[in-house]
Amino acid sequence: MPEEDIILDDPETREEGAYSLDPRTVQAILEAVEAQDADRLKELVEPFHAADIADLLEQVNHEEREAFVRLYGTEFDGEILSELEEGIRAEVIAALSPEVLSEAVRELESDDVVDLLEDLEQPTQDAILEILEASDRLAVEQALSHPEYSAGRLMQREVVAAPEHWSVGQVIDFMRAHDDLPEQFYHVILVDPRMKPVAQVTLGKIMSSRRTTKLADLVEPDFRTFRVDEEEGDVAYAFNQYHLISAPVVDDDGRLVGVITIDDAMIVLNEENEEDILRLAGVGDESLNDRTFDIARQRFPWLFVNLITAILASLVIAQFEATIAAVVALAVLMPIVASMGGNAGTQSLTVAVRALATRDLTGANALRVIRREIVAGFLNGCVFAVLMGVVGILWFGTPMLGVVIGAAMVINLVIAGLAGILVPLTLDKAGVDPALASGAFVTTVTDVVGFFAFLGLAAVLLL
Amino acid sequence: MPEEDIILDDPETREEGAYSLDPRTVQAILEAVEAQDADRLKELVEPFHAADIADLLEQVNHEEREAFVRLYGTEFDGEILSELEEGIRAEVIAALSPEVLSEAVRELESDDVVDLLEDLEQPTQDAILEILEASDRLAVEQALSHPEYSAGRLMQREVVAAPEHWSVGQVIDFMRAHDDLPEQFYHVILVDPRMKPVAQVTLGKIMSSRRTTKLADLVEPDFRTFRVDEEEGDVAYAFNQYHLISAPVVDDDGRLVGVITIDDAMIVLNEENEEDILRLAGVGDESLNDRTFDIARQRFPWLFVNLITAILASLVIAQFEATIAAVVALAVLMPIVASMGGNAGTQSLTVAVRALATRDLTGANALRVIRREIVAGFLNGCVFAVLMGVVGILWFGTPMLGVVIGAAMVINLVIAGLAGILVPLTLDKAGVDPALASGAFVTTVTDVVGFFAFLGLAAVLLL
């Protein structure tokens, strides 16, 4: 009985829920590749999920990757391709023999093929489309006709729908008669005669009800549909906010064209978070596998913006050259005020950017949050004013220097709090992603204000 | 036919998939609250999901919140409590009348009650436990006995399991006979005679198979279980990595004790990302609804660490007071070198921290990534060296000043790249969350190196 094998597989691998590749296995696999030992390679790789094999391929270097792909040969699974990230994927596809590639692509579901294709260059895309059977090719081309990052790209086209007047028995019989049902589905969608979705029923409810029960009596209280052109980020937000499991996608006429499931939404939500984190740090769509030159080029723009910012701040300092020449201690202490402002500003802006992303920061509470940032900046400003005032006096023995740095600290932390909330709010209103541009603006403000307040006060009070 | 009403509800609300509260509705609701118009309030709030009502309560101020809760009265749903964030939840619970509270809590599933309770103070916890019926109370107390952030807290205890030898017909009859099945479930878990889970079958597969088919013939190829004490972050990682929908949770003896579903994993994954973003910016577990004083207090530690960092950098500058006194232009230009290093370091460390979180950065590729960071830092360093060299010469007319700032720039950007990868790697090895502490270390390094390289070179080459 072959099924016994599946059920009673090795308990060790089964128990390791959060399992991922360990360095020793990676080492052993690389040794097998080096030794050109195909049987050993297959044996080592066999227990792993396609996602883990993809991770492995991402972690090794270019030559190891090619050697692995060649040696692994016909064992290469389409799912591994799906799991690979863009750059590496193109490389692996180029390394696969045409036979292995077409085998791998043919075993994928059509929405996975779409995922696979959308990031590839046109010639590779065309070559893979050629491989597909006519019906699959049409489905894939249809999906690719929807704009990138839309619900239409995210959805799967295979749906399980039933007329709204059907009973449990009817839908079960229908499902038993069809062997081309989607791999995974969680709801039966009820549609009206014009194929407009009107409600959905969970499979659990259907299975626990008698055959005569009407599906209409089992519908879920919450029901949402998405338009095919809706942005995937908004879809993911709704899945998270309303705890959706799957939801129908409709075309402009409200007709059912597909279904989006929570696992796809989870991937999008994760990507959006990732993007926010990287953007906040001034890093673009960077991956660990990009070439060194690409990394440098992608980081350049933000560093260039920062250079402009820093030069602006230097121009402020330049106005006070005479003051600094008279009291060199000012040059020693001035970076402290600017740095504290920069950090306080980053704190505020990060909270604001996240609150905007999660839609917690709205017109209804913006004023309150702004007020709060100012007061919090003032409170911390006062504490650090006292601390730095004392340091200033002890270090340089000039009480007035302590007063100057203390006052500048209060001013800069209040301004930092204010800029940290106003800049993201303004960018958001202007339709610019606040995660992308807030940092540069806020640091400019805190640098300029920090140096100006400190050196300006010093010029007035110390000279 | 009441079900018709549910199916044919207002198409406008149905179509709006990514719908959330708009400011005008918030305004209208607040006006109804102010006017003490309970009927109008109910009418306005009725179309919204509990998650939206919770958002509303989070966005309005303390007085408005209390007035809303009082006026909304017995309409108040337990689910709204579940959706509220900690601070606000405690406040709302305090504002609810005992009758409304017990009604709201009783209608929740036991795992939602656990969610609700775990963040509340002991006395409020006890009061709510009192409200529950004995069996529910036991279930909740059992869940609370698992450590916080463990699979045991995350799982729901209600599972649908079947002996591994059952057929499709048997499990359908079993489900029809039981009316206490979980609200949402996606798999039937097959267990051996000692209640150890051995495989699972999707509901879709069961429904589309004949009654005589053995469940063992329908099992999913991938099957993972989690131990009850596993960390929820690891569980969420595995759900994302292996595209799991639901997975059984087992106790120390491998016996089935619960099930975790993807929607719970999605929430955890989102929280972990959120935490990383805030930690990278030096903000703790801050929410938009914390009191101003708490906000200031939570941000203080990171600012304090930054103060120490900044003072360290100032100590470096102090070593070069004589140099600065001789060439005041140095004071004008020196923040540029430090600032560029800080930004480049933040870029590298953010990429590294994320790669560690997603387990893309491992022993297998660490060396390659380190080398890449150094080279990328060197490349950008050279470009900015030329740019700043030119600016330095044009601005101050001293070619050697251009050479000094250019050389310092190259040095600091290489060090920034190196620190940006080595610091997170080291912290991770030491078991410290790299998102939390990397920033402070990296900025210290880039500030100190930036000032030292620039002023040191100036002292040697310019004086």
Side-chain angles (χ1 to χ4, degrees):
Chain A
M1 287 200 293
E3 62 273 15
E4 283 293 271
D5 275 7
I6 298 173
I7 294 181
L8 302 169
D9 68 348
D10 179 15
E12 258 186 74
T13 47
R14 271 205 291 109
E15 296 296 310
E16 292 262 21
Y19 187 79
S20 66
L21 282 171
D22 62 300
R24 257 191 310 168
T25 315
V26 173
Q27 200 48 46
I29 289 174
L30 289 181
E31 278 160 18
V33 169
E34 175 127 22
Q36 292 284 315
D37 186 343
D39 291 337
R40 172 93 181 118
L41 177 65
K42 273 162 209 172
E43 182 193 318
L44 282 167
V45 172
E46 203 273 318
F48 290 100
H49 190 279
D52 290 325
I53 305 174
D55 280 353
L56 171 88
L57 288 174
E58 287 167 7
Q59 282 167 25
V60 300
N61 69 31
H62 179 73
E63 288 71 33
E64 293 165 334
R65 192 150 51 228
E66 278 212 335
F68 178 104
V69 170
R70 291 236 180 74
L71 190 63
Y72 204 46
T74 52
E75 295 288 308
F76 202 94
D77 198 49
E79 251 197 84
I80 305 174
L81 280 184
S82 286
E83 299 283 352
L84 282 171
E85 53 157 84
E86 301 175 34
I88 304 292
R89 188 189 289 165
E91 207 187 299
V92 168
I93 287 178
L96 287 171
S97 74
E99 301 78 49
V100 176
L101 179 62
S102 61
E103 187 62 37
V105 170
R106 280 211 192 110
E107 72 199 13
L108 287 176
E109 305 248 323
S110 72
D111 56 325
D112 287 331
V113 179
V114 174
D115 271 357
L116 199 76
L117 286 187
E118 57 185 1
D119 305 319
L120 294 173
E121 312 266 320
Q122 197 63 48
T124 327
Q125 258 196 34
D126 292 340
I128 291 182
L129 280 172
E130 282 297 305
I131 296 170
L132 295 175
E133 283 160 42
S135 65
D136 285 343
R137 192 185 315 144
L138 193 71
V140 170
E141 282 171 342
Q142 230 163 42
L144 288 174
S145 73
H146 296 296
E148 225 181 334
Y149 310 119
S150 68
R153 283 277 180 104
L154 196 62
M155 71 188 188
Q156 55 187 62
R157 266 143 297 277
E158 298 85 2
V159 298
V160 180
E164 46 189 321
H165 55 77
W166 271 18
S167 68
V168 166
Q170 279 173 299
V171 80
I172 290 184
D173 292 343
F174 167 82
M175 282 164 57
R176 285 194 181 142
H178 283 75
D179 52 2
D180 59 345
L181 295 174
E183 260 304 293
Q184 301 272 359
F185 65 105
Y186 316 104
H187 288 110
V188 171
I189 301 165
L190 302 192
V191 291
D192 72 9
R194 287 174 310 160
M195 275 303 278
K196 295 194 181 177
V198 288
Q200 54 187 14
V201 186
T202 66
L203 299 187
K205 279 260 171 63
I206 297 176
M207 287 186 61
S208 53
S209 302
R210 332 223 123 258
R211 286 183 62 91
T212 50
T213 309
K214 290 273 172 211
L215 293 179
D217 292 343
L218 302 173
V219 300
E220 292 290 281
D222 279 336
F223 177 60
R224 268 160 221 279
T225 63
F226 295 96
R227 285 187 325 276
V228 77
D229 57 355
E230 215 144 345
E231 269 199 55
E232 61 172 19
D234 291 337
V235 174
Y237 173 83
F239 266 80
N240 193 38
Q241 168 85 348
Y242 303 119
H243 317 299
L244 307 179
I245 297 299
S246 77
V249 179
V250 296
D251 64 13
D252 290 343
D253 301 324
R255 286 198 187 82
L256 180 66
V257 289
V259 64
I260 292 176
T261 51
I262 184 175
D263 47 329
D264 298 317
M266 189 170 176
I267 291 170
V268 172
L269 197 70
N270 210 25
E271 280 172 359
E272 300 248 317
N273 279 326
E274 189 76 28
E275 204 180 78
D276 263 14
I277 295 177
L278 294 179
R279 286 186 169 183
L280 277 167
V283 189
D285 212 4
E286 180 176 317
S287 119
L288 219 54
N289 300 303
D290 291 349
R291 281 153 211 275
T292 309
F293 181 77
D294 293 332
I295 294 283
R297 209 190 42 196
Q298 278 167 14
R299 293 189 189 170
F300 182 85
W302 173 256
L303 289 175
F304 186 76
V305 169
N306 182 62
L307 182 68
I308 306 293
T309 300
I311 290 177
L312 269 176
S314 290
L315 285 173
V316 173
I317 301 173
Q319 307 311 308
F320 297 95
E321 275 194 53
T323 318
I324 295 171
V327 189
V328 181
L330 296 177
V332 174
L333 291 175
M334 68 182 186
I336 298 180
V337 178
S339 158
M340 292 296 284
N343 271 276
T346 304
Q347 291 181 327
S348 308
L349 86 85
T350 305
V351 173
V353 165
R354 285 312 295 170
L356 284 168
T358 56
R359 305 181 200 191
D360 288 334
L361 180 56
T362 66
N365 58 357
L367 258 178
R368 198 145 28 89
V369 174
I370 293 171
R371 209 162 44 221
R372 209 197 48 178
E373 285 293 345
I374 296 175
V375 177
F378 180 74
L379 290 176
N380 274 331
C382 290
V383 177
F384 285 108
V386 172
L387 278 173
M388 263 323 286
V390 172
V391 170
I393 292 165
L394 290 181
W395 191 348
F396 294 96
T398 321
M400 200 41 108
L401 192 59
V403 171
V404 167
I405 198 166
M409 193 72 93
V410 175
I411 293 170
N412 209 19
L413 290 200
V414 169
I415 294 295
L418 197 56
I421 173 83
L422 286 186
V423 168
L425 272 177
T426 312
L427 289 172
D428 189 58
K429 274 238 155 140
V432 179
D433 180 357
L436 192 62
S438 294
F441 284 107
V442 171
T443 334
T444 309
V445 171
T446 54
D447 275 0
V448 167
V449 169
F451 290 129
F452 187 80
F454 179 60
L455 296 174
L457 285 170
V460 173
L461 296 176
L462 287 178
L463 294 191
Chain B
M1 289 200 295
E3 62 275 16
E4 285 291 271
D5 275 6
I6 298 174
I7 296 182
L8 303 169
D9 69 346
D10 181 14
E12 258 186 74
T13 48
R14 270 203 293 110
E15 296 296 311
E16 291 262 23
Y19 187 81
S20 67
L21 281 172
D22 63 299
R24 255 193 310 170
T25 315
V26 174
Q27 200 47 47
I29 289 174
L30 289 181
E31 278 161 17
V33 169
E34 175 127 25
Q36 292 284 313
D37 186 343
D39 292 337
R40 173 91 181 120
L41 176 65
K42 274 162 209 171
E43 181 193 317
L44 283 167
V45 172
E46 203 273 319
F48 289 99
H49 190 280
D52 291 325
I53 305 174
D55 280 353
L56 171 88
L57 288 173
E58 287 167 7
Q59 283 168 25
V60 300
N61 70 31
H62 179 74
E63 288 72 31
E64 292 165 335
R65 193 150 49 229
E66 278 214 332
F68 178 103
V69 170
R70 291 235 179 75
L71 191 63
Y72 204 46
T74 51
E75 296 288 309
F76 201 93
D77 198 48
E79 253 198 83
I80 304 175
L81 280 183
S82 285
E83 300 282 353
L84 282 171
E85 55 158 82
E86 300 175 32
I88 303 291
R89 188 189 288 164
E91 205 187 301
V92 168
I93 287 178
L96 288 170
S97 72
E99 300 78 48
V100 175
L101 178 62
S102 59
E103 186 60 39
V105 170
R106 279 211 192 111
E107 72 198 17
L108 287 175
E109 304 249 323
S110 73
D111 57 324
D112 288 330
V113 178
V114 173
D115 270 356
L116 198 77
L117 285 187
E118 58 185 0
D119 305 318
L120 295 174
E121 312 265 321
Q122 197 63 50
T124 326
Q125 260 196 33
D126 293 340
I128 292 180
L129 279 172
E130 281 298 304
I131 296 170
L132 295 175
E133 282 160 42
S135 66
D136 286 344
R137 193 185 312 142
L138 192 70
V140 170
E141 282 171 343
Q142 230 162 41
L144 288 173
S145 74
H146 295 297
E148 225 179 337
Y149 311 119
S150 68
R153 282 279 180 104
L154 196 61
M155 71 187 188
Q156 54 188 60
R157 267 144 295 278
E158 298 86 1
V159 297
V160 181
E164 45 188 323
H165 55 76
W166 271 18
S167 67
V168 167
Q170 278 173 300
V171 79
I172 289 185
D173 292 343
F174 167 82
M175 283 164 57
R176 285 193 182 142
H178 283 75
D179 54 2
D180 59 345
L181 295 174
E183 261 303 294
Q184 301 271 358
F185 66 105
Y186 316 105
H187 289 110
V188 170
I189 301 164
L190 302 192
V191 290
D192 73 7
R194 286 174 310 159
M195 274 304 275
K196 294 192 182 178
V198 287
Q200 53 186 16
V201 186
T202 66
L203 299 187
K205 279 261 171 60
I206 296 177
M207 287 187 62
S208 52
S209 303
R210 332 222 125 258
R211 286 184 62 90
T212 50
T213 309
K214 289 273 171 212
L215 292 179
D217 292 342
L218 302 173
V219 299
E220 292 291 282
D222 278 338
F223 177 60
R224 269 158 220 279
T225 61
F226 296 96
R227 288 188 323 277
V228 75
D229 57 355
E230 215 143 347
E231 269 198 57
E232 60 171 20
D234 291 336
V235 173
Y237 173 82
F239 265 80
N240 193 38
Q241 169 85 346
Y242 303 117
H243 316 299
L244 307 179
I245 298 298
S246 77
V249 178
V250 296
D251 64 14
D252 290 342
D253 301 323
R255 285 196 189 82
L256 181 66
V257 290
V259 64
I260 292 176
T261 50
I262 185 176
D263 48 328
D264 298 318
M266 189 171 179
I267 292 169
V268 172
L269 196 71
N270 209 26
E271 280 172 359
E272 300 247 317
N273 279 328
E274 188 77 28
E275 204 179 77
D276 263 14
I277 296 177
L278 294 179
R279 284 185 170 184
L280 277 168
V283 189
D285 212 6
E286 180 176 317
S287 119
L288 220 54
N289 301 304
D290 291 348
R291 280 154 213 273
T292 309
F293 182 76
D294 293 331
I295 294 283
R297 209 190 42 198
Q298 278 168 14
R299 294 189 189 169
F300 182 85
W302 173 256
L303 289 175
F304 187 75
V305 169
N306 182 61
L307 183 68
I308 306 294
T309 299
I311 290 177
L312 269 176
S314 290
L315 286 173
V316 173
I317 300 172
Q319 308 310 310
F320 296 95
E321 276 195 52
T323 318
I324 295 172
V327 190
V328 181
L330 296 177
V332 175
L333 293 175
M334 68 182 186
I336 298 179
V337 179
S339 157
M340 292 296 283
N343 271 275
T346 304
Q347 291 181 327
S348 309
L349 86 85
T350 304
V351 173
V353 165
R354 285 312 295 169
L356 284 168
T358 56
R359 304 181 199 189
D360 290 333
L361 180 57
T362 67
N365 58 356
L367 258 178
R368 199 147 26 90
V369 174
I370 293 171
R371 209 164 43 222
R372 209 196 48 177
E373 285 292 345
I374 296 174
V375 177
F378 180 75
L379 289 177
N380 273 332
C382 290
V383 178
F384 285 108
V386 173
L387 278 174
M388 264 322 287
V390 173
V391 170
I393 293 164
L394 291 181
W395 191 349
F396 294 97
T398 320
M400 200 41 107
L401 190 61
V403 172
V404 167
I405 198 165
M409 193 72 93
V410 175
I411 294 171
N412 208 20
L413 289 201
V414 169
I415 294 295
L418 197 57
I421 174 83
L422 287 185
V423 167
L425 273 177
T426 312
L427 289 172
D428 189 58
K429 275 237 156 143
V432 180
D433 179 359
L436 192 62
S438 293
F441 284 106
V442 172
T443 334
T444 309
V445 171
T446 53
D447 275 0
V448 167
V449 170
F451 290 129
F452 187 81
F454 179 61
L455 296 173
L457 284 170
V460 173
L461 296 176
L462 287 178
L463 293 191

